[in-house]
Amino acid sequence: MWIIEKDVFSENLERLTEVLDQKGIEHHEVTYAPFAQQFEFSVHRPEEKPSFLYGSIQVCRAAQRGCSPLATPSILFCNFRRFKCVEYFPYFGKHLTQSEYIMLPLGELDRCKDFLMETLSSNGCLFIRPDDGEKSFCGQVIAEETWTRDMNTLKLYDAFPETLCVVARPQNIKKEWRLVIAEENDKQSVIAHSQYRHNEQLTILQETPQEVLTFAQSLLNCGYEPDPMWTMDIAETSEGLSLLEVGSLSAAGWYDCDLEAIVDNVQRLTQ
């Protein structure tokens, strides 16, 4: 059984439910009230049985804390600890889009501003993102001339002085692809893929160049295995292809990926 959070990944919700219906897989939509920590089913509450949960990071975190849609624990592919930059950067090193970086706490950014600008800036700008895989704030480019304003905005998110950050040289990213990885017979491989951005504009296309798939498959030989299924984002810059980031399957948009392949592999790995 699948439980899908409503109004989160609207770009493929209709197609996903069609695939589940075609395969005779029971599925239900829910909404989540974070302050009440309660789930509400769109139609009726299903019988208690193991279920794969697909929804926002907030919903996946709630389920991991024990606040699941059903009393039966949800099945999740979102090992957030393994999606921290400090966990996966050592595996991919020179292949990272932000391969030149420094990690330090959010509360130290102001004090170290001059050092960071001198060391990593490009045209007076730095790229800053959280280390955590739960997106405590969105990665963004911060300019020296608007530093105070940009930092005050960043601190409005779910971040604290001790939140570990990655500070890196900004990159001009031309295209981005999302790839879904699945394990089978002790081997990881790309089972679905979709372009989702072109020159910073949302551009959803299933067609993915073979060189992107070959590059991604080569990265899978590094030994990083966070979950039975997970996602990998590949970026194209002026310097070529690189690994932008990795993430969970349960809390990621799948854009124009092959949903049948994803569903088949989820069913295989959760039975």
Side-chain angles (χ1 to χ4, degrees):
M1 179 171 68
W2 285 49
I3 294 181
I4 304 167
E5 186 180 6
K6 190 177 180 180
D7 300 327
V8 176
F9 301 117
S10 56
E11 75 274 3
N12 56 29
L13 178 58
E14 184 176 347
R15 291 192 301 118
L16 176 58
T17 55
E18 287 177 358
V19 170
L20 293 172
D21 285 337
Q22 290 168 3
K23 294 181 176 295
I25 298 170
E26 182 182 356
H27 57 89
H28 300 269
E29 292 183 19
V30 296
T31 54
Y32 176 62
F35 296 106
Q37 295 191 1
Q38 292 180 343
F39 288 89
E40 293 184 3
F41 287 88
S42 297
V43 181
H44 64 275
R45 187 178 181 85
E47 296 180 7
E48 297 287 348
K49 63 177 69 174
S51 57
F52 176 75
L53 180 60
Y54 181 47
S56 62
I57 289 175
Q58 186 180 45
V59 157
C60 290
R61 284 193 303 188
Q64 289 177 330
R65 292 194 301 266
C67 181
S68 294
L70 301 171
T72 307
S74 298
I75 300 170
L76 296 160
F77 289 149
C78 57
N79 186 351
F80 288 126
R81 180 185 65 82
R82 292 287 282 148
F83 295 125
K84 291 183 177 182
C85 295
V86 73
E87 288 275 341
Y88 72 86
F89 273 27
Y91 286 92
F92 302 112
K94 64 181 181 180
H95 300 297
L96 297 166
T97 305
Q98 285 86 37
S99 59
E100 296 180 356
Y101 65 90
I102 292 173
M103 290 189 182
L104 72 171
L106 177 63
E108 281 285 83
L109 294 183
D110 285 333
R111 185 181 72 84
C112 297
K113 170 190 167 187
D114 292 342
F115 165 71
L116 294 171
M117 283 291 174
E118 180 180 346
T119 307
L120 291 171
S121 71
S122 176
N123 297 320
C125 295
L126 292 169
F127 175 76
I128 300 175
R129 62 153 293 168
D131 161 67
D132 65 72
E134 301 172 55
K135 304 292 178 69
S136 52
F137 63 87
C138 297
Q140 55 194 282
V141 174
I142 293 184
E144 184 173 20
E145 61 184 15
T146 57
W147 178 273
T148 300
R149 184 194 69 193
D150 292 346
M151 286 299 297
N152 286 337
T153 300
L154 186 152
K155 292 171 184 176
L156 293 175
Y157 291 89
D158 186 20
F160 302 92
E162 63 271 23
T163 298
L164 188 62
C165 298
V166 175
V167 183
R169 197 181 311 281
Q171 300 292 328
N172 182 18
I173 298 176
K174 300 177 181 178
K175 295 181 181 180
E176 298 172 42
W177 294 268
R178 176 148 299 166
L179 284 63
V180 177
I181 314 302
E183 176 191 350
E184 184 172 11
N185 298 326
D186 297 323
K187 180 182 178 182
Q188 297 186 107
S189 59
V190 178
I191 58 101
H193 46 81
S194 171
Q195 180 180 331
Y196 64 89
R197 191 163 288 135
H198 184 192
N199 292 333
E200 300 184 358
Q201 299 297 315
L202 185 66
T203 306
I204 301 176
L205 298 168
Q206 188 174 100
E207 291 75 16
T208 302
Q210 183 58 48
E211 62 185 282
V212 173
L213 301 177
T214 300
F215 174 71
Q217 192 63 47
S218 71
L219 296 180
L220 297 178
N221 298 325
C222 295
Y224 176 74
E225 299 181 22
D227 263 331
M229 292 183 71
W230 50 288
T231 62
M232 170 188 288
D233 287 4
I234 301 297
E236 178 187 328
T237 69
S238 58
E239 298 180 1
L241 298 174
S242 58
L243 176 65
L244 183 61
E245 64 178 348
V246 300
S248 70
L249 181 78
S250 288
W254 299 339
Y255 302 108
D256 200 24
C257 285
D258 184 340
L259 297 183
E260 186 170 353
I262 295 175
V263 169
D264 287 345
N265 278 275
V266 168
Q267 293 301 104
R268 175 178 61 83
L269 290 165
T270 58
Q271 296 302 311

